[in-house]
Amino acid sequence: MATTFKTFSANDVISTKTLLHEAVPITGAIVSGTYSDLNIKNFSHGMFQSIYDYPFLSSSANHLFDVTAGYSPSSKLSSSTTSVPFPVVAQSKKFNIYNQMAQVLMGFDHLGQVQRFDEDGDLLAGGNKIDSAVFVNFSRLLVKDEIKKGSFSLTLGVSPYAPHNDDTSLAALSSGDTRHVFNKRIKLADTNAQNDFRVNSPAGEYGILYASVDHGTNVLTGDPAAGSTTVRAGLIYYQAGIAVITSSLLLRAEDHSTNTAGPGIHSGYTRADTLGSGLLHKDLGAALTASTRGVGGFNSTRPESFHQLLTGSNITASCDGFRSRIHNIAFNNTTELNSTVYFCRANHNEFNYSANPTYLTGSKIRVKQQSTDQPVSFVTTVGLYSADNELMGVAKLSEPLRKDPTNEMTLRVRLDY
Amino acid sequence: MAFLDNSGDIILDAVLTDTGRFRLAKGDGSFKITKFALGDDEVDYALYNKNHPSGSAYYDLELLQTPVLEAFTNNTSMLKSKLVSIPRTNLLYLPVMKLNEIYSTNNSRHTSGAYLLAVNKDTEEALGIDASNNAVSGIMYGENVGAGTTIRVDQGLDTTEISPAFTIDADLVETQYIVEVDNRFGSIVNSTNGSITSPSFIDDDNIATYFFSLGTDIGIVSENTERDAAASTQTILGPRGTFIEFQIQSSLDLNTGTYLFTELGSTTTVNSTSVYYIDTTVRLTGATTGYRIDIPVRFVRKV
């Protein structure tokens, strides 16, 4: 009997899972500079800032990531826990941001209290908490299903001098100039995270970001080289696509021991601490807390340390200060492809004739001269059908394949979900 | 759709159809792929040159250069012609399906080239009878089904090389027909007893699909027992298989209103009567042999 369909057997269908990775490079020039901040979207609520790859008013713009910052009510930056010598602006919004991120990413303890971000992810052991942080929330467009573990890196310029949009003399500094913002750089990376990550977060898996020197000397205390896992500087949540970066990354270690105006960010910090809170090298210069306008580069209108900025300005200003120091971001994303592979097997005695109207002249088969000639057909399309003949999927071959009784073929059709 | 790059390795470009996604989204288990078919929509077998002077290796040279389009996601646009599995390799003739407009005066198309379906009684009365009180050919009655024109399609070997006195090989007899019609316009009716049939499914584009089988759908699919070569009622010249006969009942939307006519159609004049009309095709496919024809149907409503 003539047939046009062939039923799949159990051996013809298999389901597979494939992890697809794409490299995602984000250059700092896009984050600040190339589009004169027309690609930076600020909101009237002032809770975060969105970065696009093109001026955001254009329909061609793609959302890259958001930046926000906040600190815990238990932080030393909080005016409720200590007498902060800086002006305090919009503190409740910063609490809200910190608590929101903490409750989503760290969850709650057994008493229903929001867990604070932990420097090493070991919640039972206590240890240092990250009480003030910058949050970088990557869009799903970039992250897809998750960030690939061990692939994340973020390079920050920590030179004392930062070019500001309104200071042309500093903005024009050549990249080789020692005062240039990217002359000294640190790199945050989730080194070896593919073998060492945490799973005690309600938001999925996360790794620890370690700081190392990317460029320059006397950048970090001890100047750890790339791949070092000695200086913890934040956390990276892979499925959530969020990097939590401790604000002490942008403070000098020395500041915490000598600068009475600069409270630390770790809950264990006291003003008597000598090391451990600020991460930058003590010789990096006074620039990050300098009092000269245009130097120290976190606020384009007022010289401030990052903590002064974090407490004394709105969130948007902190985002601007941090964003302008981003030199590079790179990671690999992951897309989980669930596939079903259908093996469409055409045996030697199958699919050798066609119902194509051009196959016949009258009722005579065009490709045969006499009945003993072999029938020939050509395949261009594979149709996948339900039991009641509804066409569910289609696969097209890039060129016609000849089918006759002397050959057999297996067409492997993969549907991804 | 663009052409697929055929400069390198053979690739397979696979997509879910809109119906596939529709079934998947329903989440009721109706998305289940159980079988496959192979198609050759782009292939023009007239390019197969059996008389190529350079020999048999060159017969299909031109045909193999046929560029192939990317997959369409519209389920009704693909696999219009399928490859057929017949274990025998010694066939020289394959069956076809042809409109039989000569079986009776009630089977022919209207002079406009399509079957005209009068969607309501007013239109039936205006178009179905001419000034001499004779029935007008090609007018189907969409309200009073059972009267008017019937669509009949015959199947068999359309060749004078084999006498119709021969019985067509059993594996070439079409035993099941698939009829596809736009469900917004009408539904298939058994022309013998006027009963309305039910579609097997209606896809996301409102295309209703009906299956009619020999022995099951009596009055719709029948065996063609006419063996006389000189029979003036037959359109198949050689051995005959089965035939399908049906009418169409107009949908309530077309019967009671003009919205779809103004949305999808236009107006014209038929036999001096102004009518709204919608042109469509009823697609008939042989489930066994895969052969397919499109039948033009014009739904008309008196203005």
Side-chain angles (χ1 to χ4, degrees):
Chain A
M1 182 173 167
T3 54
T4 52
F5 295 105
K6 184 173 181 182
T7 304
F8 289 113
S9 74
N11 294 328
D12 294 333
V13 184
I14 186 170
S15 295
T16 62
K17 190 170 89 169
T18 313
L19 296 180
L20 196 70
H21 301 295
E22 297 169 304
V24 180
I26 304 171
T27 57
I30 290 178
V31 175
S32 65
T34 300
Y35 298 110
S36 305
D37 283 359
L38 292 174
N39 61 327
I40 311 301
K41 188 174 186 178
N42 288 303
F43 301 86
S44 57
H45 54 64
M47 297 289 276
F48 64 91
Q49 186 176 73
S50 294
I51 289 88
Y52 290 76
D53 66 349
Y54 198 67
F56 63 83
L57 289 176
S58 165
S59 59
S60 304
N62 293 301
H63 183 202
L64 298 180
F65 60 90
D66 298 320
V67 181
T68 186
Y71 49 85
S72 164
S74 355
S75 164
K76 291 292 195 302
L77 296 182
S78 164
S79 61
S80 60
T81 59
T82 186
S83 176
V84 177
F86 324 131
V88 175
V89 175
Q91 181 168 257
S92 62
K93 285 190 177 185
K94 295 159 192 169
F95 289 168
N96 291 346
I97 285 289
Y98 184 92
N99 285 335
Q100 178 194 347
M101 302 305 283
Q103 77 177 45
V104 171
L105 300 175
M106 294 300 291
F108 300 88
D109 63 14
H110 66 287
L111 298 173
Q113 304 292 317
V114 175
Q115 303 251 42
R116 289 179 288 157
F117 290 100
D118 193 274
E119 187 185 57
D120 61 3
D122 187 350
L123 302 179
L124 297 180
N128 286 335
K129 302 293 180 188
I130 300 173
D131 274 341
S132 60
V134 175
F135 303 97
V136 183
N137 302 30
F138 294 97
S139 80
R140 195 171 60 200
L141 182 72
L142 302 187
V143 173
K144 300 289 176 65
D145 288 334
E146 64 179 272
I147 293 170
K148 185 183 177 187
K149 297 179 191 72
S151 71
F152 183 86
S153 70
L154 187 155
T155 315
L156 287 173
V158 291
S159 171
Y161 295 82
H164 296 305
N165 291 335
D166 59 348
D167 192 329
T168 51
S169 62
L170 284 170
L173 289 178
S174 71
S175 59
D177 193 303
T178 55
R179 295 172 297 165
H180 190 278
V181 64
F182 295 132
N183 190 261
K184 290 179 185 288
R185 295 194 299 267
I186 57 174
K187 181 178 186 177
L188 304 184
D190 58 340
T191 306
N192 197 36
Q194 64 274 30
N195 301 314
D196 180 19
F197 58 90
R198 308 287 181 270
V199 293
N200 57 348
S201 159
E205 298 154 347
Y206 67 101
I208 296 165
L209 291 175
Y210 297 98
S212 61
V213 176
D214 184 62
H215 190 263
T217 56
N218 288 352
V219 178
L220 285 166
T221 304
D223 275 353
S228 166
T229 55
T230 55
V231 182
R232 298 188 190 100
L235 306 169
I236 173 77
Y237 289 81
Y238 296 109
Q239 284 83 31
I242 297 175
V244 180
I245 298 165
T246 174
S247 63
S248 64
L249 181 67
L250 300 166
L251 295 180
R252 295 188 310 175
E254 184 190 45
D255 291 339
H256 296 283
S257 60
T258 60
N259 183 1
T260 55
I265 43 78
H266 291 144
S267 59
Y269 169 80
T270 67
R271 294 185 185 185
D273 279 353
T274 54
L275 286 173
S277 294
L279 298 179
L280 297 180
H281 194 279
K282 62 184 174 59
D283 291 336
L284 194 62
L288 290 176
T289 55
S291 58
T292 309
R293 183 179 180 282
V295 181
F298 288 107
N299 190 331
S300 60
T301 56
R302 196 170 60 235
E304 286 178 332
S305 75
F306 191 61
H307 279 173
Q308 286 173 299
L309 181 67
L310 197 55
T311 55
S313 301
N314 57 32
I315 291 174
T316 303
S318 301
C319 296
D320 283 337
F322 179 83
R323 178 174 54 79
S324 63
R325 286 182 173 271
I326 294 176
H327 180 253
N328 202 7
I329 300 175
F331 59 86
N332 284 4
N333 68 20
T334 302
T335 306
E336 193 176 303
L337 281 182
N338 288 294
S339 311
T340 305
V341 180
Y342 297 90
F343 293 96
C344 304
R345 304 182 206 276
N347 294 327
H348 67 91
N349 57 351
E350 294 171 334
F351 301 109
N352 293 322
Y353 295 93
S354 173
N356 190 316
T358 66
Y359 195 68
L360 305 174
T361 48
S363 269
K364 186 172 178 298
I365 297 172
R366 198 188 286 266
V367 297
K368 294 176 86 170
Q369 275 176 320
Q370 50 197 359
S371 62
T372 52
D373 289 346
Q374 296 285 341
V376 179
S377 63
F378 294 87
V379 187
T380 64
T381 313
V382 183
L384 303 176
Y385 286 85
S386 67
D388 48 6
N389 294 357
E390 259 191 306
L391 183 61
M392 298 293 184
V394 183
K396 298 287 288 191
L397 288 155
S398 57
E399 61 188 62
L401 283 184
R402 181 187 168 105
K403 179 71 186 76
D404 62 47
T406 65
N407 64 15
E408 295 190 345
M409 60 177 69
T410 300
L411 299 170
R412 184 177 171 275
V413 180
R414 195 181 80 182
L415 288 179
D416 296 329
Y417 302 98
Chain B
M1 296 294 161
F3 290 121
L4 291 166
D5 182 357
N6 57 6
S7 61
D9 293 339
I10 296 172
I11 58 165
L12 208 57
D13 166 45
V15 293
L16 284 178
T17 61
D18 50 359
T19 292
R21 283 179 275 138
F22 174 66
R23 297 290 175 210
L24 199 58
K26 283 186 90 172
D28 58 359
S30 58
F31 180 83
K32 191 168 186 188
I33 292 170
T34 61
K35 55 189 173 183
F36 74 95
L38 303 180
D40 57 359
D41 291 355
E42 292 92 344
V43 175
D44 178 3
Y45 285 93
L47 298 176
Y48 192 86
N49 183 0
K50 295 190 297 282
N51 302 311
H52 198 287
S54 301
S56 59
Y58 294 82
Y59 287 1
D60 57 8
L61 191 66
E62 205 173 346
L63 197 151
L64 287 171
Q65 293 170 353
T66 303
V68 179
L69 292 163
E70 291 174 322
F72 300 173
T73 54
N74 185 11
N75 61 308
T76 54
S77 304
M78 302 300 298
L79 272 292
K80 290 192 287 291
S81 66
K82 299 188 183 77
L83 300 192
V84 184
S85 296
I86 304 172
R88 290 184 295 153
T89 61
N90 61 350
L91 293 172
L92 192 58
Y93 297 92
L94 285 178
V96 296
M97 294 190 298
K98 287 178 79 176
L99 269 177
N100 187 342
E101 300 180 67
I102 56 176
Y103 185 76
S104 78
T105 53
N106 272 345
N107 294 121
S108 60
R109 282 174 293 160
H110 185 258
T111 51
S112 63
Y115 289 97
L116 300 195
L117 192 138
V119 299
N120 59 9
K121 195 177 175 196
D122 272 359
T123 316
E124 289 169 2
E125 289 170 353
L127 302 182
I129 307 292
D130 65 13
S132 312
N133 220 22
N134 295 320
V136 178
S137 293
I139 305 293
M140 301 172 75
Y141 286 17
E143 184 169 325
N144 298 298
V145 289
T149 295
T150 300
I151 296 175
R152 171 174 164 145
V153 176
D154 287 13
Q155 184 257 346
L157 302 182
D158 188 33
T159 175
T160 54
E161 301 290 322
I162 308 172
S163 165
F166 283 95
T167 304
I168 190 170
D169 295 338
D171 56 358
L172 301 182
V173 174
E174 187 55 76
T175 55
Q176 189 178 49
Y177 292 87
I178 303 168
V179 183
E180 295 166 87
V181 62
D182 195 318
N183 199 52
R184 292 171 297 180
F185 305 154
S187 46
I188 303 297
V189 173
N190 185 328
S191 56
T192 308
N193 56 22
S195 62
I196 297 168
T197 59
S198 299
S200 290
F201 58 87
I202 300 168
D203 77 5
D204 60 307
D205 300 313
N206 267 317
I207 304 297
T209 301
Y210 299 77
F211 286 81
F212 300 117
S213 300
L214 181 68
T216 305
D217 296 291
I218 296 164
I220 298 180
V221 181
S222 310
E223 196 175 348
N224 190 343
T225 54
E226 178 59 64
R227 296 285 177 263
D228 185 359
S232 59
T233 57
Q234 298 297 313
T235 188
I236 296 290
L237 301 176
R240 289 148 194 157
T242 57
F243 66 89
I244 180 171
E245 201 168 20
F246 58 90
Q247 291 179 316
I248 301 171
Q249 183 186 47
S250 60
S251 69
L252 202 60
D253 285 346
L254 296 190
N255 182 270
T256 57
T258 59
Y259 168 73
L260 284 173
F261 285 102
T262 53
E263 183 78 9
L264 305 170
S266 185
T267 56
T268 186
T269 303
V270 177
N271 300 342
S272 306
T273 304
S274 289
V275 294
Y276 294 104
Y277 75 91
I278 299 173
D279 284 337
T280 184
T281 55
V282 174
R283 185 165 297 148
L284 181 65
T285 309
T288 307
T289 59
Y291 202 85
R292 164 169 162 170
I293 61 169
D294 289 340
I295 303 163
V297 175
R298 170 172 283 188
F299 290 82
V300 291
R301 179 188 171 88
K302 188 182 171 190
V303 173

